[in-house]
Amino acid sequence: MRVASGGGSCLTRVWEDRLRAVLLAAVIAAFAGGLPPGWAAEAQPPAQKAEAKAAPAKAEYVGSETCQTCHEDIFNAFKKNAHAAVDAGKKKKAWEGKACEACHGPGSRHAESTEKADILNPAKANPATADKNCLTCHLNQPTHVGRIQSGHAHNQVACAACHPIHKEETAKTPRTASINAQCSKCHPSTWAQFQRPYKHKLPEGAMSCVDCHNPHGSFLPRSVSLSSGNEPGCLKCHGNKRGPFTFDHVPVQMEGCTACHQVHGSANPKMLTRHEVRNLCLECHSNLARPAPAASNGLGGIPPAIHDLRSPRYRNCTACHQKIHGSYVNRGLLR
Amino acid sequence: MRLLVGLALILPLWSAEEAKPAAEAKETAPAPAKSAAEQWLTGNFELGYRWVQMSSGNFDVYRSVVNLGEGPKVLGADFRITDPEKRAFDRLTFSMHQWGGEPYSTLRGDAVKDGAYRVTGEYRSLAYFNNIPSFANPLLPRGVTWSQNSYDSRRRYSNVEVEFFPGRRFVPFFAYSRDWAKGRGVLPYFTEGNEYPIPVALKDRTDEYRGGVRIHFDKFHLTLEQGGIQFIDAQEAGYAEFNPGNNTASLFGRTQSLTKLNQIYDVTGSGVFSRVAGTASPFKWLNLFGQFLYSKPETKTGYVVGATGVFLQLNTLRYFTGQQDAVGARAKQPHPSGNIGFEVRPFRRLRVVESLMTDRLHNASSALIAEAVLFPGVTTAEQQVTFLPDRLIYNYNRQEVNAFFDVTSRVMLRGGFRYVWGDAQYSASRLNPFRTVEMGEINQKVGIAGLNVRWNPQISFNGEFEAASSDRMYFRTSLNDYKRMRARARYQVKPSILVGANFSLLDNQNPSPGLQFDLRQRSDSVSIQWAPKEGRRFSLLGDYTRSTLRSDLLYLNPAFLGPERSFYRENAHIATAMLDVNLFKVGSRQARVSGGGSLFVSSFSRATEYYQPVGRFTMPVNRMLEWFGEWRWYCYGESAYRYEAFRTNHIVLGFRFLM
């Protein structure tokens, strides 16, 4: 009974082991791109993909002049784009006269059939595939130090979403306006903040988004750019807030300008996050000073003071604490 | 001005005359135009005149918000010069905008010779006027509409950067920038028993020099940069009038006043900074990146003030008549930071990105303060010398890992985790009887999820979600236990119609006793771009955003220690729209009219209305010249501070020369 039972168990175990092995192989194969075929094909590099599609007769490079025959407008505009240097062989000799195919893959089959399916169109490919094209040449560049951890990379925003690959670079649109228009297409709610009365002057064309943000990613969160090494980019224009102050207002150093300011725009004067200054200050400076404050109550503890909020003098904190970003001479930030 | 008005009236007739031959020419044979390749100069130049009619309202608030002035203006100039013979340069671009007493003037130039150099220069001049009667004004209940924290200054910024051999393996670069401001302001002079708003002269300047080399190879890149800064920050006040200050209450039958003040604030500083940044791709499946940054700014301060009047010493409740203070201070702030990370692709569908970042700051400073107080009827002043050292030490660290999995070519999933930790300590308030040093820590764990769908080139969606749990944080208002969501969808309905929708939400809670912080911020946007037939007849751009913000937390009333609630709420509707209609062609140029603008309407804590409708027309005169006009209305109002409203009409007429 025990043997029979044991025999049955062994058999079951063998089948279980086999099943497990098959499942494991399937999982590995799936991860390795073996299953299903449709899935794997999508992950192929662009040039290989175009070649794979052209399996019946291997596609060959035909040169940019062949492309010009049908796409003359694109070709002419491209000649005034920075990428024209590829066609001139200034970057890699191998691509001289073949700039179109450097990104679109060999074009002989498409030239013969004129079918869209016979050529790779990075603009219509998924962003990861399209970006592989761009990063073949542009990966190891200074602007990409923060790229991998940037919000754009995390959200699969393709290079071509912002950078015109074919278009002629003209001077018809002011640079700031064109950058702002570009960014606001995907960030309309951020652009909406600039319609508030107190704001940085982006709609007026005095600034552009890239004055404060590095769209390729930065050391700081939200791709905020840096100045003078590792200082926040805000200090590029607000140099008088740089310090180091003899007496710091610590949130300025630790949480940055956004601790008190809505930097894109606000309905409150000086782009503050609160409608009255006292609310802004007292929200932090309110916990009682005591030997061991609750950890969750944070820094900024002050003891009871003479500030009677019924008097307008004490409702306007910056009327006395005028050096609110930090003072060189007074610990209370009064001078 | 009369000439401009005359021309403005005559030019439409001329343009109408011009339109006929152009139409006839179209029927016969088009005039041979220069091909784009032959044009060595392209661009435009705009000249105009602005009339401003202030129909009603507060002029100071108008200047604080809009600040556009009347008169002749260079509204814009953009040029691109391509030298066909490529002698000194290959391409030169130049642009300038809003000149002629405008509040935001910009200038930018860029010259490139491929493989040899690239020079970029920039200059901006921004007027900063800020005088909002309701802001920092203790005298407002007495009818004084003059902020005691107001400025009228102009800030300028210039930058020049030269790169040699762009696109080559080794690219040396040098840059110089200057940021400086000069102007006047009103700031209060503080004494123990009163504050006296006085006019001050303000000046600051920062010069930055930097240089280095960028090294590019196929497998790696390295940037080495070294720089330095020099800066000054000066404030001066000379005042000799009777000033009763904000506190007019009498004590012991006397009131306080200021009769004379001389104050000089002189800060000079310098610093060095270094940057090493690199990326590498040793294998096809691995990318590495990292950077190390270091800066060490330091300042020296000299401060002298002499004041006479009637002042109150609070700790002795005695009146004194003169005060002289002198302060010498120094501060040094070494600040190293760095990050390092990698992206690994073990399988074709899977990417893992790991990054580690640290930011450390140590500000060590000290001040020697000499104070002398002169009491009436006494010939020698009471003197006190204090030495005050101060310190801020701050460490912040962040580690994040994200995995991206391509489920199909259309769907990508993201999952990740972020850990933030750090500590800080600084000198406690001198009124704190318990401690000389305050210490804080941050400890936060964040889970991350994301979804990216690109169903086809016409439809895309991406969403992100973060949920955080903190057991320690630096400030009461810091994000504690929060959830953040973002979603974005785009649908290209037709080649001519693109619609988009965005959603974001931040929900933060801190239920600690005495705090009970509840923050909820939400924003929903929809946008449309409609340009049938590639915008040949008309195009429409529009978006609408509904944003809400609700913040609610407890604080202690500093005088009575009773708990009070700080409640801030804003419900806002924001819309922008622009409709461009092409009318007819004059030669190759299009006559156009545009209309639209923006509106911002909010309710609750600072209920505000701000409308900026705009109407524009462009009338080509001939191939090289366009006549244009613009009307803009600025309408601003607040329900709590009605005297801060304003309404202005702006009319601009001008010419655009095209090349």
Side-chain angles (χ1 to χ4, degrees), chain A:
Chain A
M1 180 74 182
R2 205 189 305 162
V3 173
S5 168
S9 300
C10 278
L11 194 64
T12 313
R13 225 176 290 140
V14 168
W15 277 107
E16 274 178 4
D17 286 348
R18 283 181 185 173
L19 187 65
R20 229 176 268 144
V22 169
L23 281 173
L24 186 65
V27 169
I28 292 168
F31 271 110
L35 282 175
W39 287 24
E42 297 294 349
Q44 281 180 340
Q48 283 179 25
K49 189 181 164 185
E51 284 172 27
K53 280 198 167 181
K58 197 179 177 186
E60 288 174 0
Y61 293 100
V62 290
S64 302
E65 285 177 4
T66 308
C67 310
Q68 183 192 2
T69 317
C70 299
H71 304 284
E72 190 165 8
D73 50 341
I74 296 174
F75 185 84
N76 287 336
F78 184 77
K79 282 203 295 191
K80 293 208 162 189
N81 185 284
H83 282 111
V86 178
D87 214 43
K90 287 181 182 170
K91 298 291 174 189
K92 280 193 178 175
K93 273 284 169 197
W95 292 120
E96 188 173 354
K98 297 175 195 160
C100 306
E101 291 162 297
C103 298
H104 291 278
S108 62
R109 286 201 70 224
H110 173 70
E112 285 166 21
S113 66
T114 69
E115 287 293 325
K116 285 180 184 176
D118 288 336
I119 191 100
L120 172 74
N121 188 346
K124 292 184 178 172
N126 79 6
T129 309
D131 285 355
K132 271 182 193 164
N133 256 346
C134 306
L135 295 175
T136 308
C137 299
H138 294 285
L139 178 61
N140 289 306
Q141 289 189 344
T143 48
H144 296 292
V145 174
R147 184 190 64 84
I148 293 168
Q149 54 183 359
S150 75
H152 281 162
H154 287 172
N155 287 302
Q156 300 267 290
V157 177
C159 308
C162 304
H163 297 283
I165 310 300
H166 304 129
K167 277 185 188 167
E168 177 187 347
E169 292 165 11
T170 62
K172 282 176 187 164
T173 317
R175 187 172 175 269
T176 50
S178 57
I179 292 169
N180 295 340
Q182 180 80 55
C183 301
S184 62
K185 272 185 195 170
C186 296
H187 301 277
S189 52
T190 307
W191 186 246
Q193 293 175 40
F194 289 106
Q195 309 309 322
R196 293 160 187 254
Y198 303 100
K199 66 196 171 186
H200 277 107
K201 305 294 182 185
L202 271 79
E204 288 77 3
M207 296 176 69
S208 73
C209 307
V210 298
D211 283 322
C212 305
H213 297 277
N214 180 348
H216 297 119
S218 155
F219 176 76
L220 296 173
R222 294 170 188 270
S223 298
V224 171
S225 55
L226 297 165
S227 75
S228 304
N230 51 0
E231 307 284 355
C234 316
L235 300 176
K236 189 173 86 172
C237 296
H238 299 277
N240 58 338
K241 311 288 186 296
R242 179 187 305 275
F245 296 104
T246 316
F247 304 104
D248 277 305
H249 188 199
V250 292
V252 178
Q253 295 283 8
M254 291 164 61
E255 294 218 321
C257 308
T258 53
C260 300
H261 297 280
Q262 284 182 308
V263 290
H264 291 145
S266 169
N268 307 314
K270 306 215 181 217
M271 295 193 262
L272 293 176
T273 54
R274 296 288 179 268
H275 59 306
E276 287 188 24
V277 175
R278 69 182 165 124
N279 290 47
L280 185 55
C281 302
L282 288 169
E283 283 183 4
C284 276
H285 294 291
S286 148
N287 48 323
L288 282 173
R290 50 190 170 183
S296 55
N297 256 352
L299 298 168
I302 52 161
I306 55 168
H307 300 93
D308 182 354
L309 297 180
R310 290 173 302 184
S311 161
R313 280 178 68 211
Y314 297 114
R315 288 204 294 264
N316 294 278
C317 310
T318 49
C320 294
H321 301 277
Q322 53 175 285
K323 299 291 180 188
I324 200 66
H325 298 104
S327 170
Y328 293 102
V329 298
N330 186 283
R331 190 178 257 182
L333 315 183
L334 297 160
R335 288 183 190 168

Side-chain angles (χ1 to χ4, degrees), chain A residues 196 262 266-268 272-276 279 283, chain B residues 549-553 566-570 604-606:
Chain A
R196 293 160 187 254
Q262 284 182 308
S266 169
N268 307 314
L272 293 176
T273 54
R274 296 288 179 268
H275 59 306
E276 287 188 24
N279 290 47
E283 283 183 4
Chain B
L549 171 63
R550 184 181 182 280
S551 167
D552 185 1
L553 76 162
S566 175
F567 188 72
Y568 182 77
R569 193 166 177 190
E570 183 190 271
F604 290 98
S605 296
R606 196 176 186 113

Side-chain angles (χ1 to χ4, degrees), chain A residues 76 79-80 168, chain B residues 34-42 82 84:
Chain A
N76 287 336
K79 282 203 295 191
K80 293 208 162 189
E168 177 187 347
Chain B
K34 273 188 178 180
S35 75
E38 288 172 329
Q39 272 187 342
W40 63 274
L41 173 66
T42 54
T82 311

